[in-house]
Amino acid sequence: MGILNKITNKVGNLNTGGSNAQSSFNFPAGPQAQAPNPSLIPRYRKQRGVNLGSWFVLEGWMAPNSVFREAVKPKSSDMDVAQGGNAKIILEEHWDNWIGDEDWNWIKDHGYNSVRIPVSLR
């Protein structure tokens, strides 16, 4: 009997519950399903998100006329705004108004489940 016939017989016995099925192959039981750990759900779910840039890390190209209106030149960084006039008022206004309730509702209504909020480490 050739090797192909031996394999065919062995597979046939497994599929039909033949006599060699129990004695030749003792497969261990598969893993049991466990409830997911809630802390791991965000790690493995499909992420669909948006970037909330220029909220805490200012980016001149995103908001050139609002937060940078009194910044010193080159008007491209947080430091330029801080060194300009009325920095405290301008920054607090920006932080309070850049992302509002209507933005959060839009994000939710469009099915996004994550947001990216850039934060500077400097």
Side-chain angles (χ1 to χ4, degrees):
M1 180 185 295
I3 187 73
L4 186 56
N5 289 336
K6 287 183 181 181
I7 293 171
T8 304
N9 286 339
K10 199 57 94 169
V11 171
N13 285 338
L14 286 174
N15 291 336
T16 61
S19 61
N20 291 338
Q22 292 298 322
S23 61
S24 299
F25 297 99
N26 292 320
F27 294 108
Q32 298 298 313
Q34 298 176 2
N37 181 338
S39 67
L40 295 178
I41 291 173
R43 182 176 182 181
Y44 293 106
R45 73 177 178 194
K46 181 175 181 175
Q47 300 294 321
R48 187 164 186 257
V50 294
N51 179 29
L52 301 180
S54 202
W55 192 6
F56 298 114
V57 177
L58 304 177
E59 300 175 66
W61 65 273
M62 289 181 121
N65 298 322
S66 60
V67 74
F68 289 95
R69 63 183 177 266
E70 293 188 35
V72 298
K73 289 189 178 187
K75 296 187 176 190
S76 61
S77 71
D78 304 28
M79 185 60 76
D80 297 341
V81 174
Q83 291 175 345
N86 298 312
K88 183 177 191 286
I89 294 168
I90 290 171
L91 287 171
E92 287 178 353
E93 177 185 284
H94 175 75
W95 294 328
D96 291 342
N97 299 312
W98 186 249
I99 304 295
D101 289 340
E102 66 279 357
D103 298 308
W104 292 112
N105 290 332
W106 185 93
I107 291 168
K108 179 184 166 208
D109 293 344
H110 284 81
Y112 293 101
N113 62 11
S114 61
V115 295
R116 177 181 179 269
I117 303 174
V119 178
S120 177
L121 298 178
R122 295 188 245 162

